[in-house]
Amino acid sequence: MDYNDQVKNRLKRIEGQVRGVLKMMEEGKECQDIVSQMSAVRSALDRTIGVVVSENLEKCVREQIERGEDTEDTIKEAVSLLVKSR
């Protein structure tokens, strides 16, 4: 699968957030602030996982439909990936 710039940019922002959390830790910031930022990182990563899975699912399902193939297993696999990511 080709990953578009939007997905890559999301991950770059997440990378920046993680660096920010590390900096906060090095500066001795409050636990609540650090946990809040870590939660934001997790949320951003969860959303990015959803985008990657959904875009891949859409592409795969379209291709299978064009070939006249059943899509049930592909959809189950995508749901399984989302469940595992939580």
Side-chain angles (χ1 to χ4, degrees), residues 22-59:
L22 287 169
K23 184 178 178 185
M24 290 173 70
M25 289 176 167
E26 291 168 355
E27 293 173 351
K29 299 291 183 182
E30 294 294 322
C31 173
Q32 296 88 339
D33 296 332
I34 292 172
V35 170
S36 176
Q37 289 304 308
M38 291 172 73
S39 179
V41 169
R42 180 175 53 197
S43 178
L45 196 53
D46 285 344
R47 287 191 308 272
T48 305
I49 289 169
V51 168
V52 169
V53 171
S54 67
E55 287 180 0
N56 185 55
L57 175 62
E58 180 182 3
K59 180 181 178 206

Side-chain angles (χ1 to χ4, degrees), residues 59-74:
K59 180 181 178 206
C60 290
V61 167
R62 284 180 191 267
E63 290 173 357
Q64 286 179 301
I65 289 171
E66 288 174 4
R67 294 189 302 258
E69 297 174 357
D70 183 44
T71 60
E72 184 177 347
D73 288 341
T74 302

Side-chain angles (χ1 to χ4, degrees), residues 1-13:
M1 178 177 166
D2 291 328
Y3 298 98
N4 63 34
D5 289 340
Q6 181 185 21
V7 171
K8 292 175 187 175
N9 288 338
R10 282 175 178 256
L11 287 174
K12 289 176 185 178
R13 279 193 301 274

